[in-house]
Amino acid sequence: MAISEEQTAYVANLARLDLAEEDIRRFAVRLDAVLEYMEKLNELDTGDTEPLVHLSDRENVFRSDQPAESLSRREALENAPEKAEGCFKVPSIIE
Amino acid sequence: MKYEIVIGLETHAELLTDSKLWCGCSSRFGEPTNTQTCPICLGMPGVLPVLNEKAFDLAISGALAMQCSINRRTFFERKHYFYPDLPKNYQVSQNHSNLGVNGHIDIPVTGGTKKIGIWNVHLEGDAGKNMHVEYPGANYSLVDLNRAGMPLLEIVSAPDMRSVEEAESFMHTLRSVLLYCGISDCRMQEGSLRFEASVSLNKPGDTGTGGRVEIKNLNSMKAVSACLEYEIKRQSEVLDAGGVVDRETRLWDENGACSRRMRSKEEAHDYRYFPDPDLPVYNIEESRLERISREVPELPVRRRERFISDFGLSEYDASVLTGRRELADYYEKVLSHCNSPKSVANWMMNDVMAALNERKVDITDFVVSAEHLASLVGMAEQSRVTAQAAREVLAEMINTGKSPETLVKEMGAEAISDSGDIMPIIEQAIGEVPEAVADYLGGKKQAIGAILGQVMRLSKGQADPKKAKELLTKKLEEME
């Protein structure tokens, strides 16, 4: 197994996914198949290969520091499930 | 027990740009909530962020000012975590190719300077702002995303500080470096400069006594000092009682002046960094590096040392005058017209600073030009005006913005240094303080001070004191 059930539960927790025990078992098997397939890449000797950071050859793409028009507040909040006082309203997040 | 204190600081400085890091939204502070957003900083799907070149250059300038080695090939990574103020669910930051690494800054400490290591300097986007709302019947948070995507420079120090005082000196020095280089306005009340501290305590000679505690939510230098004092006390009490200091992250509560546990190491975040596929690789060309290096000014600590060694200023005067780049620039500009470093420093430390404070004006808006101050100091040096008259002239220069030449004429403030003009005043003074004259003639030579004082009073402070004393002494000798 390339990935254990504990690791699956850990990853699910990081991704804020609430998975039932049987889901964890099910996903562990499926993730394992994916990872095993990726394992094939490890058969290649990449010792002298520079890690690829980006697929594109383009470099140094910039914009100049010019302020542009923003959305209106109404537009910005349009997709918010809840809003109040010109803000996105979310469940209490005090720690 | 006395423990060795080990402090490291992470500093976040908002960069002085007009627009955000990845989009054209304005970076102005204090606008109405959620009026500076766009699909890019709201984290909408399918958008493409494009790097703000000014922010990139400012970040390189920051890395150079901290004496870092520059990673000439640098890229951005996604740092994943979930929080309502982070609409993309990841922060675009740097981890494996930080712009600058292995730098340092020199901080003033008692009896000299100390080198504080800078582990790395990197560029990242800021998160939005959460506001907690709680009253009977309501318990929720409000999110303002105006700040989301603002350019931030993160500066990670080595754990090289050994006392709260050193941490304070580090923060002050770092702030003045950032101000000097025009990297950030460092306005703490606007959140432009924020800190996270890490502190651990060791038994002497032992490096692993206490766990490293990180403290977040430090929005001012004062908060850092208060929190460090609190943590050092808390941790030494735990260790004194034979306990163990856990490695954990704590949150500083400004109102309660205490820190409380946020998460332990076991729950530490796993950020799953990977290169951001939306952003290309950046290669810092030789020409860019050269241009930015040229623009990095002489840093405050270096300048302060030069003011002490070249101009003979006291440590205190040099610190004040180099505290802000504009003030030091003004001082040197005055010197370029009037090469009397010490008297110019005295004028600046006293009358100029007092006027700036009283009027709450910045040196950049000071009505007296460097040329005018130089010519006034020159006139005082050449005894064309007495020190007392010069102060009055300066006060008028500040009130009216007129040149010292004009004012000296208008105010009739020119020093009286002609013997023919001073002699009658001396004679009048001698007549008015006969006791002092008698004392002097009777052998009490210090009585000359009282007679001279009378001369100055009668001349309304305009008699050239040196000349007056010379003439008075001669006159008294004749009377003996």
Side-chain angles (χ1 to χ4, degrees), chain B residues 51-337:
Chain B
L51 180 60
N52 181 336
E53 187 161 17
K54 172 94 183 284
F56 189 64
D57 287 355
L58 286 175
I60 294 172
S61 149
L64 288 171
M66 318 280 162
Q67 323 294 325
C68 287
S69 314
I70 303 293
N71 258 321
R72 297 287 292 271
R73 187 168 181 276
T74 188
F75 54 90
F76 293 91
E77 285 161 275
R78 293 183 176 182
K79 176 182 179 178
H80 298 85
Y81 64 96
F82 294 94
Y83 214 62
D85 62 11
L86 192 74
K88 288 187 283 206
N89 290 337
Y90 58 82
Q91 179 185 32
V92 182
S93 181
Q94 300 194 286
N95 188 28
H96 294 99
S97 65
N98 291 308
L99 261 184
V101 291
N102 298 331
H104 68 265
I105 60 175
D106 293 319
I107 62 163
V109 291
T110 331
T113 57
K114 178 173 174 176
K115 189 174 280 193
I116 303 294
I118 300 291
W119 271 344
N120 74 70
V121 170
H122 64 263
L123 183 57
E124 63 184 24
D126 205 348
K129 216 171 144 184
N130 293 318
M131 289 155 284
H132 188 62
V133 179
E134 195 173 1
Y135 56 85
N139 188 13
Y140 56 88
S141 292
L142 294 173
V143 185
D144 172 15
L145 294 178
N146 282 352
R147 204 178 65 185
M150 287 280 287
L152 278 187
L153 191 65
E154 178 168 339
I155 300 145
V156 183
S157 91
D160 286 347
M161 288 153 271
R162 295 288 172 271
S163 65
V164 179
E165 291 72 34
E166 285 185 10
E168 285 168 345
S169 177
F170 175 82
M171 289 186 286
H172 281 112
T173 310
L174 185 63
R175 181 170 182 272
S176 65
V177 169
L178 293 171
L179 286 170
Y180 257 64
C181 299
I183 292 169
S184 173
D185 62 17
C186 296
R187 291 195 184 129
M188 265 166 292
Q189 66 279 17
E190 295 181 6
S192 303
L193 194 63
R194 315 194 293 266
F195 302 95
E196 285 172 27
S198 74
V199 55
S200 58
L201 300 189
N202 290 323
K203 282 182 190 149
D206 179 11
T207 51
T209 311
R212 197 170 82 102
V213 175
E214 286 179 39
I215 308 116
K216 293 183 180 284
N217 200 32
L218 300 167
N219 296 325
S220 68
M221 298 198 215
K222 250 166 99 188
V224 174
S225 304
C227 127
L228 287 175
E229 304 275 7
Y230 174 88
E231 263 308 303
I232 290 165
K233 186 162 176 281
R234 186 188 71 84
Q235 292 182 26
S236 37
E237 280 168 7
V238 171
L239 293 172
D240 282 345
V244 176
V245 176
D246 290 327
R247 180 170 173 182
E248 61 181 353
T249 301
R250 296 175 76 90
L251 205 63
W252 178 247
D253 179 347
E254 184 95 55
N255 302 321
C258 64
S259 68
R260 53 199 160 77
R261 169 175 264 207
M262 191 172 149
R263 55 176 179 253
S264 72
K265 192 193 167 241
E266 289 71 48
E267 309 151 28
H269 277 170
D270 177 348
Y271 292 121
R272 294 154 293 147
Y273 280 98
F274 66 74
D276 190 327
D278 286 344
L279 291 158
V281 170
Y282 289 85
N283 266 310
I284 302 174
E285 321 87 311
E286 196 60 45
S287 55
R288 183 184 300 270
L289 201 56
E290 269 176 25
R291 170 174 56 78
I292 299 171
S293 308
R294 268 199 310 275
E295 287 164 6
V296 174
E298 181 185 25
L299 298 179
V301 171
R302 182 83 47 83
R303 202 168 191 182
R304 177 176 165 273
E305 281 166 5
R306 184 165 61 80
F307 278 21
I308 295 170
S309 61
D310 292 11
F311 301 148
L313 302 191
S314 70
E315 279 194 16
Y316 179 75
D317 288 0
S319 297
V320 174
L321 291 177
T322 56
R324 282 198 56 217
R325 182 184 177 180
E326 291 78 4
L327 196 63
D329 287 348
Y330 183 94
Y331 172 67
E332 293 209 86
K333 201 166 169 204
V334 179
L335 287 193
S336 71
H337 297 281

Side-chain angles (χ1 to χ4, degrees), chain A residues 54 59-61 63 65 68 86 88, chain B residues 19 24 34 51 143 277 282-283:
Chain A
H54 204 281
E59 290 180 342
N60 295 19
V61 181
R63 43 172 279 274
D65 183 27
F88 297 86
Chain B
S19 62
N34 294 303
L51 180 60
V143 185
Y282 289 85
N283 266 310

Side-chain angles (χ1 to χ4, degrees), chain A residues 38-58:
Chain A
M38 301 302 283
E39 284 285 316
K40 243 197 129 46
L41 292 173
N42 284 338
E43 292 169 19
L44 275 177
D45 179 8
T46 54
D48 296 329
T49 313
E50 185 76 2
L52 180 74
V53 173
H54 204 281
L55 283 171
S56 160
D57 287 336
R58 289 196 67 184

